[in-house]
Structures are given as structure tokens and as C-alpha cells.
Amino acid sequence: MVAKVALDEQLLKKLQQAGELRVENMDGVPIVLMTVDARNQLQQAVYDDSDLTEEEMLRMGADQLNDPADWGAPEMDIYDTMEGIDLKSNGSA
């Protein structure tokens, strides 16, 4: 869904300069509006794991898989089931 938002010239200029604009809706809920370029840069920074090998990424997540307060919690099994992960191997190859 794409929402249409009206910005005055001053707010539009701030959005274009900073790449993002922090606002609140009528109920006071904080919202961040971003330009597509800023969003793409953010996604690249967050998801660009090219510096890590697959082995390093798996090692980083291994503790979370067995932690009963994290992904190892019993109620988290539903996500493994949805992704088709073999629960006996705990997702490891």
C-alpha cells in the first residue's frame, strides 16, 4: 500500500536534504518518512553481509538458536516449521 502524504515546501526540502523526515501522526505516533535513495542505502548497510563468510554468519547466530530466551524458545519452533528447517539438526547443515 502506498500512502499519499502532503508536504509543504519547507518539509519537502528537509526530506530531500536529509533523506529522511521524522514526524508524528495526528495521534502522536512517531513516523519516519524516507526517500527511496535513503531507504536503499539503509537496506544495503543492514543487509550487505558480503564482508562475512557463511561460516562466520552461522557462528554468530548459533548461540541464539539454543538460547531458551531467544530463537531456541519452544514457541519459536513455528518459524522453523514455516521455513522448512529440520528441527533435529537445529537448522545447521
Side-chain angles (χ1 to χ4, degrees):
M1 177 180 137
V2 176
K4 299 222 178 219
V5 178
L7 298 175
D8 62 29
E9 289 297 320
Q10 183 180 8
L11 289 176
L12 180 59
K13 189 173 183 176
K14 285 182 181 180
L15 175 61
Q16 290 171 331
Q17 288 173 343
E20 71 176 42
L21 181 63
R22 295 169 190 261
V23 295
E24 290 183 358
N25 75 359
M26 299 297 283
D27 297 321
V29 176
I31 299 170
V32 176
L33 302 174
M34 299 180 79
T35 62
V36 172
D37 289 341
R39 183 175 184 271
N40 289 340
Q41 289 174 2
L42 177 62
Q43 280 187 308
Q44 185 176 7
V46 171
Y47 296 111
D48 184 10
D49 295 322
S50 60
D51 294 342
L52 297 175
T53 66
E54 182 178 348
E55 182 179 308
E56 290 170 324
M57 288 172 45
L58 289 173
R59 198 173 332 119
M60 287 172 54
D63 291 340
Q64 294 178 2
L65 291 175
N66 295 318
D67 185 347
D70 208 336
W71 285 103
E75 65 273 7
M76 298 304 278
D77 289 350
I78 186 65
Y79 295 103
D80 294 331
T81 303
M82 288 170 36
E83 294 295 323
I85 296 172
D86 179 9
L87 299 176
K88 294 177 195 142
S89 69
N90 204 13
S92 58

